[in-house]
Amino acid sequence: MRKADLFASLVVFLVALPLCVGVAIASGVPAELGLMTGIVGGLVAGMLPGSSLQVSGPAAGLTVLVYEAVQSYGVRALGVLVLGAGLVQLGLGVLRLGRWFRAVSVAVVQGMLAGIGLVLIAGQVYAMGDVAAPSGGLGKIAGLVLLAADADPPAVAIGGATVAVLLLWPRWRRGARVVPAPLLAVALASAVTGAFDLPVRRVEVRGLFDAVRPPSVTDLGRLTEVGVIGTVLAFALIASAESLFSAAAVDRLHRGPRTDYDRELIAQGAGNAVCGMLGALPMTAVIVRSAANVQAGAQTKVSRVLHGVWLLLFTAVVPAVLGLIPVAALAGLLVHAGCKLVPVREVRTLWRGHRGEVVVLAVTAVAIVVGNLFEGVLVGLALAVAKTAWDISHVHVETEDRGDAGMVVRVVGNATFLRLPKLLDALEALPHDRDVRLELGGLRHVDHACAAALEAWAAERDHERTATSSSTT
């Protein structure tokens, strides 16, 4: 074992510990289920081939979807949902479809992350004040107006101080390398809460093994329900996309072996299948933990496996420590994570050269806030496809006047129904008293609507010429 991998595993463990607990609480499930997913991410996904340095565990990006699923089907159904998603991922990996996730519009992915971030922020701001959050994205946003009157001051102070530490501590790079900001923020919040015996809500702990909920035969039977199938597919597709996009980002951070996307998808599927059998949260590759792993000097997959070992030892030996953590501190941690999901810098860059992409991003984010994650992503994908179809449907009408020989009209580009009004306007504007020869050799594509319209236009021109000749005679 290399010392660099041992040190990196400890750093990743310290980063992952509060995040695993925070994601579980925000998802509406016991804290132990988040830790269980982190352990499986290290011991199962970490040992399998795919990406050598990225780290898997519960992710903020799936928090909204998991919370909705738990509210709709109950905690007991979580295991079968995650198990089904893992099996779908395994199938996609075996069929070598992992690389196709790279073809998803970047604007849709960024819009998805922005929508998740906004809903996450809106929900966790209530938890920072120890106040129950309204249901629905719009309800949470509307309720923010009255939040100040209902919030508990000590909880708000704890949550606000947590966010302040997360923002300020990384500026001292040497200190941040030794003690990760998430760990320091939660540790300080826990220490202050305990020292002053503040009356704030704390994490409830029952024990790791008591939290294990393998799906029963009855639970497995729910896989025949349409709603459950839709949720399973949403888990699988969004978790796969987030993992593979994370892999691409991590590959840019180091010079080691590149990610095999199909094998990584199989690793994620195997990990989620195990998480499902334990009744735990779904897992994805997480860029925060992966970046911490690379920056700490990790060289092999040993570091990510060991981080799972440390999580297991911690929850098995000293689980009572989790009961000291105030929920407001974890909410502050997730509010900070939600802010980082909103791609402000990317929007500025896109606005300069690709404003249509910004529209796709914004519509996707708004659809997620107004509706839910799955519907929002579908809306974003449909809009991205429509935008692409519009962008490639460029058609130009070029005219050449040859005097007594008449006019030559060339149609160049891609003639689709999206540009049919423009094409017909150009053709109908041609002089009716001139002979016209229509050349279509420059068209790369003609759909049925345009072909029918061109034939109708040509037939009408012939009819006009015939009628003109008859009247002259």
Side-chain angles (χ1 to χ4, degrees), residues 81-441:
L81 294 172
V82 178
L83 173 61
L87 296 177
V88 171
Q89 287 181 300
L90 283 169
L92 294 174
V94 171
L95 295 173
R96 303 185 63 81
L97 297 176
R99 67 195 69 184
W100 287 100
F101 281 89
R102 303 172 70 184
V104 178
S105 168
V106 174
V108 174
V109 175
Q110 291 175 336
M112 178 189 74
L113 295 177
I116 291 170
L118 292 172
V119 175
L120 189 60
I121 293 167
Q124 293 307 302
V125 164
Y126 290 90
M128 284 177 64
D130 274 355
V131 177
S135 60
L138 288 179
K140 292 182 176 66
I141 294 174
L144 293 176
V145 179
L146 303 175
L147 178 60
D150 299 331
D152 182 45
V156 173
I158 289 294
T162 301
V163 175
V165 172
L166 292 169
L167 293 173
L168 298 175
W169 182 252
R171 296 186 179 183
W172 185 29
R173 295 183 179 180
R174 182 176 299 178
R177 289 176 183 173
V178 177
V179 182
L183 178 69
L184 178 66
V186 173
L188 288 176
S190 302
V192 171
T193 300
F196 294 94
D197 194 23
L198 297 177
V200 297
R201 190 160 59 100
R202 306 187 190 188
V203 175
E204 297 180 5
V205 182
R206 296 184 304 170
L208 183 65
F209 299 105
D210 293 335
V212 174
R213 291 190 181 95
S216 64
V217 176
T218 304
D219 295 328
L220 292 174
R222 302 198 66 177
L223 286 173
T224 58
E225 298 177 19
V226 175
V228 170
I229 294 173
T231 303
V232 166
L233 292 176
F235 273 18
L237 296 178
I238 293 173
S240 299
E242 188 168 342
S243 296
L244 298 182
F245 289 133
S246 173
V250 173
D251 282 347
R252 291 195 291 268
L253 298 178
H254 66 90
R255 298 181 179 179
R258 305 292 93 178
T259 298
D260 183 317
Y261 288 90
D262 296 315
R263 288 186 175 183
E264 179 62 20
L265 198 53
I266 292 174
Q268 295 295 323
N272 271 321
V274 174
C275 286
M277 293 303 297
L278 297 173
L281 288 173
M283 74 173 197
T284 73
V286 189
I287 187 62
V288 175
R289 273 158 265 187
S290 302
N293 190 38
V294 174
Q295 292 165 2
Q299 298 178 4
T300 67
K301 66 174 65 176
V302 171
S303 62
R304 62 184 191 177
V305 175
L306 280 178
H307 115 275
V309 173
W310 306 142
L311 284 173
L312 177 60
L313 291 176
F314 178 86
T315 51
V317 176
V318 285
V321 174
L322 298 175
L324 303 175
I325 301 176
V327 172
L330 296 175
L333 188 68
L334 290 173
V335 166
H336 180 260
C339 291
K340 295 179 73 173
L341 288 174
V342 180
V344 177
R345 294 181 181 178
E346 289 80 357
V347 168
R348 292 175 181 172
T349 302
L350 283 174
W351 184 254
R352 297 190 189 102
H354 305 279
R355 296 190 177 184
E357 294 292 300
V358 177
V359 173
V360 174
L361 188 156
V363 170
T364 304
V366 171
I368 290 172
V369 173
V370 174
N372 58 53
L373 184 59
F374 188 52
E375 292 174 356
V377 171
L378 290 180
V379 169
L381 288 173
L383 185 59
V385 171
K387 175 187 172 296
T388 301
W390 178 263
D391 288 342
I392 65 173
S393 297
H394 290 297
V395 64
H396 303 284
V397 178
E398 302 173 353
T399 60
E400 180 184 351
D401 193 339
R402 295 186 177 180
D404 295 339
M407 301 179 67
V408 176
V409 177
R410 301 182 183 89
V411 183
V412 181
N414 297 288
T416 69
F417 71 95
L418 295 172
R419 301 288 179 161
L420 185 54
K422 175 184 176 181
L423 176 60
L424 290 178
D425 287 344
L427 294 176
E428 290 171 357
L430 295 172
H432 291 270
D433 57 348
R434 303 288 303 277
D435 290 335
V436 175
R437 187 176 73 188
L438 186 62
E439 295 184 355
L440 304 179

Side-chain angles (χ1 to χ4, degrees), residues 62-89:
L62 279 175
T63 300
V64 176
L65 186 57
V66 173
Y67 182 82
E68 292 174 353
V70 170
Q71 295 302 308
S72 299
Y73 305 111
V75 179
R76 290 291 310 179
L78 183 59
V80 73
L81 294 172
V82 178
L83 173 61
L87 296 177
V88 171
Q89 287 181 300

